[in-house]
Amino acid sequence: MKIASWNVNSLRVRLDHLSDWLNDNQPDLMCLQELKMPDQDFPSEALLELGYHSVFTGQKTYNGVAILSKQPLDNVVTDMPDMDDPMRRYIAGDYPLASGQSMRIVNVYVPNGQALDSDKFIYKREWFSKLRAAMRETLQDNPNVVLVGDFNITPADIDVHDPKRWAGKIHCSDIERLMLQKLMSEGLFDTYRHFNTDGDHFSWWDYRGAGYRANEGLRIDLILSSSAMLNAATGSHIDEAPRKLERPSDHTPVVAEYSL
DNA sequence: ATGGTAGGGCACCTA
C-alpha cells in the first residue's frame, strides 16, 4: 500500500500535474492540502475517472484538504475535534486493509504561523495542541494510524537547507519542534526519516529567489506512522519530479509504502 | 534588514 501527501497550492491550477502523478504512481491514498476552492468546484468526477474516490473540505481562496482513495473511506470527519475552526485544515477517515482491519488516515494543513510574535502563531500553537489531543484519541481507537500533511515545521536542522539562516525563525524554531516532538510522543514516527538519514532532501522550496534551483528548501511535509504502521512500512521517499514542471506547486509529493 | 514569486481575485492577504 502506498500513501502520498502533496500541498498542491491551488487544485484548479495543479489538476493536470496531479492527474499525471496519480496515473504514474498509483497511490492507494493521496492526501492534498491547499485546495483553495469551495466544495462545489471540487473535481470529483475527473478524479473518479482516474480511479479515485474523494472526500474533501474546502473554502474559497485559502486552505482546503482532501483525501483521494482507491477504495471509499468510512467514518469521515472534516473538523478538528473539540475546535470551532472555520479554516478547512483537517480531514480523516477509515481505509480498509487487506487483512480485514482498517487504518485511520488523518490529513492536515497545519497553520503557517507567519512569525513567532504574530497572532497567527498563537493560532498555530492552539491548533497544534488540539491536533495532539485528537491524535491521542485516534491512536486509542485504532492502532493503525497514519497522520500526513503540511506541518509547516521542520523536525530538525537536517531538514533545513541553511540552519544558520533559519535559526529561530518560523518553521524552524525550538518551540515548534517541541510541539512536533510532543505530538509524536503520543506514538507517531517520521516515516521518511526512519528510512533516510541524509540531509539536503526537502519537500518545499520558496518560489522567491533561487528557491528550487539552488535547493534552498525545507522538509515540512511529513508522513507520521503509528508503531503498528511503521512496523509494516517498507520505504519512504520525496518525489521531486513535479517541482521541475512548468508552473509547479511550491511543494512536492512525499510517499510512504507499507506491506499491507 | 529587506525583498524576492505565486495564487486568488481584483485591493491586498497568505504563504
Side-chain angles (χ1 to χ4, degrees):
Chain A
M1 184 180 58
K2 187 186 288 187
I3 300 176
S5 177
W6 192 5
N7 179 325
V8 290
N9 186 21
S10 168
L11 182 53
R12 212 183 312 275
V13 172
R14 237 64 70 185
L15 185 57
D16 286 348
H17 289 186
L18 173 65
S19 301
D20 290 346
W21 199 89
L22 292 172
N23 278 326
D24 291 347
N25 294 276
Q26 298 294 320
D28 298 270
L29 290 160
M30 168 54 99
C31 298
L32 304 173
Q33 304 89 33
E34 284 208 87
L35 308 177
K36 295 187 172 180
M37 60 165 56
D39 286 347
Q40 61 264 30
D41 294 347
F42 191 91
S44 301
E45 292 81 5
L47 292 167
L48 202 53
E49 284 176 25
L50 297 175
Y52 288 92
H53 304 270
S54 302
V55 294
F56 47 87
T57 181
Q59 65 186 90
K60 202 171 106 167
T61 311
Y62 302 118
N63 309 312
V65 287
I67 305 174
L68 317 183
S69 55
K70 293 247 181 186
Q71 297 180 70
L73 293 176
D74 276 333
N75 304 317
V76 173
V77 172
T78 59
D79 287 289
M80 174 71 81
D82 194 34
M83 186 175 192
D84 198 12
D85 186 8
M87 300 204 195
R88 307 290 74 204
R89 299 180 176 276
Y90 176 100
I91 190 164
D94 291 330
Y95 193 68
L97 299 174
S99 62
Q101 291 185 302
S102 73
M103 60 157 291
R104 187 75 174 164
I105 182 78
V106 182
N107 175 27
V108 296
Y109 175 45
V110 174
N112 178 296
Q114 194 169 66
L116 297 196
D117 59 358
S118 163
D119 286 347
K120 294 191 178 70
F121 190 66
I122 296 169
Y123 168 60
K124 184 177 197 172
R125 292 180 66 172
E126 183 193 357
W127 200 93
F128 216 87
S129 132
K130 296 292 186 186
L131 177 62
R132 182 186 177 188
M135 292 317 297
R136 182 179 295 182
E137 297 289 323
T138 299
L139 286 157
Q140 282 167 4
D141 292 345
N142 188 338
N144 306 316
V145 174
V146 177
L147 167 63
V148 317
D150 177 358
F151 284 77
N152 272 312
I153 300 175
T154 54
D157 275 353
I158 193 176
D159 305 304
V160 181
H161 72 93
D162 184 347
K164 281 182 187 162
R165 183 169 126 193
W166 282 88
K169 295 209 163 24
I170 196 74
H171 311 309
C172 301
S173 67
D174 289 344
I175 186 167
E176 290 168 282
R177 288 177 177 170
L178 191 59
M179 285 157 49
L180 180 62
Q181 284 163 20
K182 283 181 173 175
L183 170 72
M184 292 172 67
S185 75
E186 301 293 340
L188 294 164
F189 301 88
D190 182 348
T191 315
Y192 178 83
R193 189 54 74 209
H194 182 76
F195 290 102
N196 306 276
T197 54
D198 50 331
D200 279 335
H201 293 288
F202 310 118
S203 64
W204 170 88
W205 300 260
D206 204 317
Y207 285 124
R208 298 168 289 191
Y212 182 67
R213 188 162 35 83
N215 198 26
E216 293 180 353
L218 303 176
R219 193 174 69 90
I220 53 176
D221 299 273
L222 307 176
I223 299 180
L224 304 182
S225 300
S226 65
S227 65
M229 291 301 294
L230 193 73
N231 285 337
T234 56
S236 179
H237 69 280
I238 299 169
D239 182 7
E240 290 191 29
R243 191 64 177 78
K244 303 176 198 290
L245 299 172
E246 288 286 318
R247 234 186 147 186
S249 169
D250 46 353
H251 298 250
T252 210
V254 180
V255 182
E257 295 185 75
Y258 303 84
S259 60
L260 293 168

